[in-house]
Amino acid sequence: MSSINVYGIPGSPFLRSVEIGLKEKGVDYQLHVMAPGEHKEPEHLARHPFGRIPAFEHDGFAIYETQAILRYLDDVFPNPPLTPGNPKQRTRVNQVIGIIEWYFFPKAVAPIAFNRIIGPRLLGVPGDEQAIAEAMPMGRTCFEVLDGILGDQAYVGGEWVSIADIMLAAQLDLFRECQEGRELIDSTKSLKPWLERMLARPSFVATQPPAMLREAA
Ligand SMILES: N[C@@H](CCC(=O)N[C@@H](CS)C(=O)NCC(=O)O)C(=O)O
């Protein structure tokens, strides 16, 4: 029998994206819950030399980087597909994944959510208001661009949920826990109703962020 192991700290939108992908595919897996800080220990650095989460292993095939894991799952468990067949739609999906990885997460979600939620409420570190203010223009650009890409489509890649939808909605569900995130989501025309649809999916409902994180916000 094949076995899938996923390693990470609950609350991470990247870990959640992998779990959602597995649930969308109906594939069983074992989640190895790590404590904060454990991701910098030698045992985890052997899985992920950059000391981040999640890490993933399938029958001895070990991999990290969320989009690579999701693309692997899509290849190995093709139904339902999470990548559109149409080249233009597939390219939009790839573009949104790039936006999440290069701009949205590192330059908007991470600085704002860390300084608004994780630092002050969970780690006892005061939030850096200047870092939040400096990240807001990037947040606004990302929301404007992503709202435009989604437009009148049901999902980023057209009619069906894709890897980009999963990764983006997992980020937004964390981001909406702070006031800045809610304001940016409320400023959108298409993303807001799309997010409600995404969050209602059984895969999202089954992978709620921990209550601790929600209460902290
Ligand atoms: N490019 C990585 C990013 C993963 C990532 O940044 N994960 C965050 C949690 S959401 C993390 O590990 N942060 C811990 C740290 O930076 O020390 C991926 O796609 O998996």
Side-chain angles (χ1 to χ4, degrees), residues 38-64:
E38 241 183 283
H39 59 302
K40 304 294 184 199
E41 298 287 334
E43 194 182 341
H44 187 67
L45 290 174
R47 291 179 207 116
H48 196 318
F50 297 97
R52 296 212 164 202
I53 52 168
F56 171 96
E57 184 262 324
H58 179 210
D59 287 343
F61 178 65
I63 188 164
Y64 54 86

mmCIF file of all heavy atoms in Angstrom, residues 38-64:
data_model
loop_
_atom_site.group_PDB
_atom_site.id
_atom_site.type_symbol
_atom_site.label_atom_id
_atom_site.label_comp_id
_atom_site.label_asym_id
_atom_site.label_seq_id
_atom_site.Cartn_x
_atom_site.Cartn_y
_atom_site.Cartn_z
ATOM 1 N N GLU A 38 10.617 23.657 15.291
ATOM 2 C CA GLU A 38 11.114 22.337 14.877
ATOM 3 C C GLU A 38 11.569 22.330 13.416
ATOM 4 O O GLU A 38 12.350 21.479 13.010
ATOM 5 C CB GLU A 38 9.993 21.301 15.035
ATOM 6 C CG GLU A 38 10.285 20.178 16.002
ATOM 7 C CD GLU A 38 9.145 19.180 16.027
ATOM 8 O OE1 GLU A 38 8.105 19.481 16.657
ATOM 9 O OE2 GLU A 38 9.278 18.125 15.399
ATOM 10 N N HIS A 39 11.043 23.304 12.637
ATOM 11 C CA HIS A 39 11.406 23.335 11.216
ATOM 12 C C HIS A 39 12.848 23.782 10.989
ATOM 13 O O HIS A 39 13.342 23.728 9.879
ATOM 14 C CB HIS A 39 10.425 24.188 10.406
ATOM 15 C CG HIS A 39 10.326 25.612 10.857
ATOM 16 N ND1 HIS A 39 9.959 25.975 12.129
ATOM 17 C CD2 HIS A 39 10.518 26.767 10.186
ATOM 18 C CE1 HIS A 39 9.940 27.293 12.236
ATOM 19 N NE2 HIS A 39 10.274 27.800 11.056
ATOM 20 N N LYS A 40 13.512 24.244 12.071
ATOM 21 C CA LYS A 40 14.929 24.630 11.942
ATOM 22 C C LYS A 40 15.847 23.569 12.565
ATOM 23 O O LYS A 40 17.052 23.760 12.646
ATOM 24 C CB LYS A 40 15.174 25.983 12.635
ATOM 25 C CG LYS A 40 14.286 27.125 12.150
ATOM 26 C CD LYS A 40 14.547 27.514 10.693
ATOM 27 C CE LYS A 40 13.710 28.732 10.292
ATOM 28 N NZ LYS A 40 13.563 28.894 8.853
ATOM 29 N N GLU A 41 15.260 22.467 13.027
ATOM 30 C CA GLU A 41 16.060 21.397 13.654
ATOM 31 C C GLU A 41 16.633 20.475 12.563
ATOM 32 O O GLU A 41 16.052 20.353 11.485
ATOM 33 C CB GLU A 41 15.175 20.559 14.592
ATOM 34 C CG GLU A 41 14.561 21.330 15.751
ATOM 35 C CD GLU A 41 15.587 21.692 16.821
ATOM 36 O OE1 GLU A 41 16.592 20.968 16.938
ATOM 37 O OE2 GLU A 41 15.378 22.712 17.501
ATOM 38 N N PRO A 42 17.765 19.811 12.892
ATOM 39 C CA PRO A 42 18.418 18.961 11.880
ATOM 40 C C PRO A 42 17.485 17.932 11.232
ATOM 41 O O PRO A 42 17.578 17.688 10.026
ATOM 42 C CB PRO A 42 19.536 18.265 12.663
ATOM 43 C CG PRO A 42 19.813 19.175 13.822
ATOM 44 C CD PRO A 42 18.532 19.884 14.146
ATOM 45 N N GLU A 43 16.576 17.357 12.034
ATOM 46 C CA GLU A 43 15.689 16.321 11.456
ATOM 47 C C GLU A 43 14.856 16.887 10.301
ATOM 48 O O GLU A 43 14.683 16.250 9.267
ATOM 49 C CB GLU A 43 14.767 15.787 12.565
ATOM 50 C CG GLU A 43 14.057 14.512 12.169
ATOM 51 C CD GLU A 43 13.099 14.031 13.270
ATOM 52 O OE1 GLU A 43 13.235 14.456 14.431
ATOM 53 O OE2 GLU A 43 12.221 13.226 12.927
ATOM 54 N N HIS A 44 14.359 18.111 10.475
ATOM 55 C CA HIS A 44 13.556 18.700 9.397
ATOM 56 C C HIS A 44 14.448 19.281 8.294
ATOM 57 O O HIS A 44 14.091 19.212 7.111
ATOM 58 C CB HIS A 44 12.611 19.779 9.929
ATOM 59 C CG HIS A 44 11.674 20.279 8.863
ATOM 60 N ND1 HIS A 44 10.690 19.489 8.296
ATOM 61 C CD2 HIS A 44 11.598 21.470 8.217
ATOM 62 C CE1 HIS A 44 10.043 20.173 7.373
ATOM 63 N NE2 HIS A 44 10.578 21.386 7.300
ATOM 64 N N LEU A 45 15.609 19.818 8.669
ATOM 65 C CA LEU A 45 16.510 20.358 7.639
ATOM 66 C C LEU A 45 16.959 19.250 6.678
ATOM 67 O O LEU A 45 17.263 19.521 5.513
ATOM 68 C CB LEU A 45 17.721 21.039 8.282
ATOM 69 C CG LEU A 45 17.407 22.350 9.019
ATOM 70 C CD1 LEU A 45 18.642 22.872 9.756
ATOM 71 C CD2 LEU A 45 16.882 23.417 8.064
ATOM 72 N N ALA A 46 16.950 17.997 7.153
ATOM 73 C CA ALA A 46 17.281 16.878 6.262
ATOM 74 C C ALA A 46 16.180 16.698 5.221
ATOM 75 O O ALA A 46 16.432 16.275 4.091
ATOM 76 C CB ALA A 46 17.453 15.601 7.072
ATOM 77 N N ARG A 47 14.943 17.070 5.588
ATOM 78 C CA ARG A 47 13.821 16.986 4.630
ATOM 79 C C ARG A 47 13.746 18.241 3.771
ATOM 80 O O ARG A 47 13.333 18.201 2.621
ATOM 81 C CB ARG A 47 12.479 16.916 5.374
ATOM 82 C CG ARG A 47 12.210 15.690 6.127
ATOM 83 C CD ARG A 47 10.825 15.843 6.805
ATOM 84 N NE ARG A 47 10.792 15.036 7.973
ATOM 85 C CZ ARG A 47 10.674 15.506 9.224
ATOM 86 N NH1 ARG A 47 10.479 16.785 9.461
ATOM 87 N NH2 ARG A 47 10.710 14.678 10.219
ATOM 88 N N HIS A 48 14.061 19.382 4.398
ATOM 89 C CA HIS A 48 13.896 20.683 3.736
ATOM 90 C C HIS A 48 15.086 21.568 4.117
ATOM 91 O O HIS A 48 15.066 22.236 5.152
ATOM 92 C CB HIS A 48 12.576 21.315 4.205
ATOM 93 C CG HIS A 48 12.099 22.443 3.356
ATOM 94 N ND1 HIS A 48 12.929 23.418 2.853
ATOM 95 C CD2 HIS A 48 10.853 22.759 2.900
ATOM 96 C CE1 HIS A 48 12.219 24.284 2.153
ATOM 97 N NE2 HIS A 48 10.956 23.908 2.151
ATOM 98 N N PRO A 49 16.142 21.576 3.301
ATOM 99 C CA PRO A 49 17.369 22.292 3.675
ATOM 100 C C PRO A 49 17.156 23.786 3.884
ATOM 101 O O PRO A 49 17.997 24.450 4.495
ATOM 102 C CB PRO A 49 18.303 22.048 2.481
ATOM 103 C CG PRO A 49 17.729 20.885 1.761
ATOM 104 C CD PRO A 49 16.255 20.869 2.029
ATOM 105 N N PHE A 50 16.039 24.353 3.390
ATOM 106 C CA PHE A 50 15.788 25.783 3.591
ATOM 107 C C PHE A 50 15.012 26.049 4.887
ATOM 108 O O PHE A 50 14.699 27.195 5.202
ATOM 109 C CB PHE A 50 15.037 26.364 2.385
ATOM 110 C CG PHE A 50 15.851 26.277 1.115
ATOM 111 C CD1 PHE A 50 15.665 25.239 0.210
ATOM 112 C CD2 PHE A 50 16.839 27.217 0.841
ATOM 113 C CE1 PHE A 50 16.431 25.141 -0.943
ATOM 114 C CE2 PHE A 50 17.616 27.129 -0.308
ATOM 115 C CZ PHE A 50 17.405 26.088 -1.209
ATOM 116 N N GLY A 51 14.686 24.973 5.613
ATOM 117 C CA GLY A 51 14.051 25.133 6.919
ATOM 118 C C GLY A 51 12.661 25.727 6.854
ATOM 119 O O GLY A 51 12.292 26.538 7.708
ATOM 120 N N ARG A 52 11.924 25.319 5.848
ATOM 121 C CA ARG A 52 10.544 25.825 5.733
ATOM 122 C C ARG A 52 9.582 24.646 5.717
ATOM 123 O O ARG A 52 9.986 23.489 5.645
ATOM 124 C CB ARG A 52 10.411 26.642 4.456
ATOM 125 C CG ARG A 52 11.307 27.874 4.539
ATOM 126 C CD ARG A 52 10.726 29.032 3.813
ATOM 127 N NE ARG A 52 11.381 30.259 4.214
ATOM 128 C CZ ARG A 52 10.845 31.447 4.088
ATOM 129 N NH1 ARG A 52 9.642 31.579 3.593
ATOM 130 N NH2 ARG A 52 11.491 32.520 4.454
ATOM 131 N N ILE A 53 8.310 24.969 5.742
ATOM 132 C CA ILE A 53 7.296 23.931 5.674
ATOM 133 C C ILE A 53 6.324 24.269 4.532
ATOM 134 O O ILE A 53 6.184 25.460 4.198
ATOM 135 C CB ILE A 53 6.521 23.818 7.010
ATOM 136 C CG1 ILE A 53 5.996 25.194 7.431
ATOM 137 C CG2 ILE A 53 7.388 23.217 8.082
ATOM 138 C CD1 ILE A 53 4.998 25.169 8.536
ATOM 139 N N PRO A 54 5.720 23.249 3.921
ATOM 140 C CA PRO A 54 5.712 21.830 4.270
ATOM 141 C C PRO A 54 6.826 21.042 3.585
ATOM 142 O O PRO A 54 7.493 21.532 2.676
ATOM 143 C CB PRO A 54 4.357 21.372 3.711
ATOM 144 C CG PRO A 54 4.197 22.204 2.463
ATOM 145 C CD PRO A 54 4.815 23.548 2.801
ATOM 146 N N ALA A 55 6.977 19.791 4.070
ATOM 147 C CA ALA A 55 7.774 18.790 3.355
ATOM 148 C C ALA A 55 6.856 17.598 3.106
ATOM 149 O O ALA A 55 5.870 17.401 3.831
ATOM 150 C CB ALA A 55 8.988 18.389 4.175
ATOM 151 N N PHE A 56 7.206 16.807 2.099
ATOM 152 C CA PHE A 56 6.280 15.780 1.607
ATOM 153 C C PHE A 56 7.080 14.549 1.195
ATOM 154 O O PHE A 56 8.219 14.674 0.712
ATOM 155 C CB PHE A 56 5.553 16.383 0.398
ATOM 156 C CG PHE A 56 4.707 15.439 -0.404
ATOM 157 C CD1 PHE A 56 3.340 15.339 -0.173
ATOM 158 C CD2 PHE A 56 5.270 14.667 -1.424
ATOM 159 C CE1 PHE A 56 2.550 14.493 -0.931
ATOM 160 C CE2 PHE A 56 4.476 13.817 -2.181
ATOM 161 C CZ PHE A 56 3.120 13.734 -1.939
ATOM 162 N N GLU A 57 6.474 13.389 1.378
ATOM 163 C CA GLU A 57 7.149 12.151 0.954
ATOM 164 C C GLU A 57 6.092 11.139 0.513
ATOM 165 O O GLU A 57 5.060 10.962 1.171
ATOM 166 C CB GLU A 57 7.966 11.638 2.148
ATOM 167 C CG GLU A 57 8.802 10.408 1.874
ATOM 168 C CD GLU A 57 8.114 9.139 2.346
ATOM 169 O OE1 GLU A 57 7.437 9.176 3.388
ATOM 170 O OE2 GLU A 57 8.223 8.129 1.632
ATOM 171 N N HIS A 58 6.333 10.524 -0.647
ATOM 172 C CA HIS A 58 5.425 9.506 -1.175
ATOM 173 C C HIS A 58 6.226 8.278 -1.567
ATOM 174 O O HIS A 58 7.011 8.325 -2.518
ATOM 175 C CB HIS A 58 4.673 10.063 -2.408
ATOM 176 C CG HIS A 58 3.744 9.077 -3.032
ATOM 177 N ND1 HIS A 58 3.452 9.074 -4.384
ATOM 178 C CD2 HIS A 58 3.036 8.046 -2.507
ATOM 179 C CE1 HIS A 58 2.608 8.111 -4.653
ATOM 180 N NE2 HIS A 58 2.341 7.468 -3.535
ATOM 181 N N ASP A 59 6.050 7.218 -0.811
ATOM 182 C CA ASP A 59 6.774 5.971 -1.086
ATOM 183 C C ASP A 59 8.268 6.197 -1.289
ATOM 184 O O ASP A 59 8.862 5.700 -2.251
ATOM 185 C CB ASP A 59 6.194 5.285 -2.326
ATOM 186 C CG ASP A 59 4.837 4.661 -2.037
ATOM 187 O OD1 ASP A 59 4.514 4.488 -0.851
ATOM 188 O OD2 ASP A 59 4.116 4.372 -3.001
ATOM 189 N N GLY A 60 8.860 7.000 -0.429
ATOM 190 C CA GLY A 60 10.306 7.222 -0.499
ATOM 191 C C GLY A 60 10.702 8.379 -1.398
ATOM 192 O O GLY A 60 11.874 8.781 -1.402
ATOM 193 N N PHE A 61 9.770 8.938 -2.158
ATOM 194 C CA PHE A 61 10.070 10.099 -3.006
ATOM 195 C C PHE A 61 9.812 11.358 -2.172
ATOM 196 O O PHE A 61 8.665 11.674 -1.839
ATOM 197 C CB PHE A 61 9.184 10.091 -4.257
ATOM 198 C CG PHE A 61 9.405 11.284 -5.152
ATOM 199 C CD1 PHE A 61 10.619 11.492 -5.792
ATOM 200 C CD2 PHE A 61 8.375 12.210 -5.360
ATOM 201 C CE1 PHE A 61 10.814 12.594 -6.611
ATOM 202 C CE2 PHE A 61 8.564 13.307 -6.184
ATOM 203 C CZ PHE A 61 9.792 13.502 -6.809
ATOM 204 N N ALA A 62 10.901 12.040 -1.817
ATOM 205 C CA ALA A 62 10.777 13.199 -0.915
ATOM 206 C C ALA A 62 10.889 14.487 -1.714
ATOM 207 O O ALA A 62 11.721 14.596 -2.627
ATOM 208 C CB ALA A 62 11.871 13.150 0.145
ATOM 209 N N ILE A 63 10.051 15.441 -1.370
ATOM 210 C CA ILE A 63 10.048 16.703 -2.114
ATOM 211 C C ILE A 63 9.561 17.834 -1.210
ATOM 212 O O ILE A 63 8.821 17.604 -0.257
ATOM 213 C CB ILE A 63 9.175 16.565 -3.389
ATOM 214 C CG1 ILE A 63 9.313 17.786 -4.265
ATOM 215 C CG2 ILE A 63 7.747 16.279 -3.082
ATOM 216 C CD1 ILE A 63 8.812 17.570 -5.661
ATOM 217 N N TYR A 64 10.008 19.053 -1.508
ATOM 218 C CA TYR A 64 9.470 20.247 -0.849
ATOM 219 C C TYR A 64 9.230 21.282 -1.928
ATOM 220 O O TYR A 64 9.642 21.084 -3.076
ATOM 221 C CB TYR A 64 10.414 20.766 0.255
ATOM 222 C CG TYR A 64 11.823 21.029 -0.182
ATOM 223 C CD1 TYR A 64 12.195 22.249 -0.750
ATOM 224 C CD2 TYR A 64 12.792 20.042 -0.055
ATOM 225 C CE1 TYR A 64 13.491 22.481 -1.165
ATOM 226 C CE2 TYR A 64 14.093 20.271 -0.468
ATOM 227 C CZ TYR A 64 14.434 21.486 -1.022
ATOM 228 O OH TYR A 64 15.716 21.700 -1.440
#
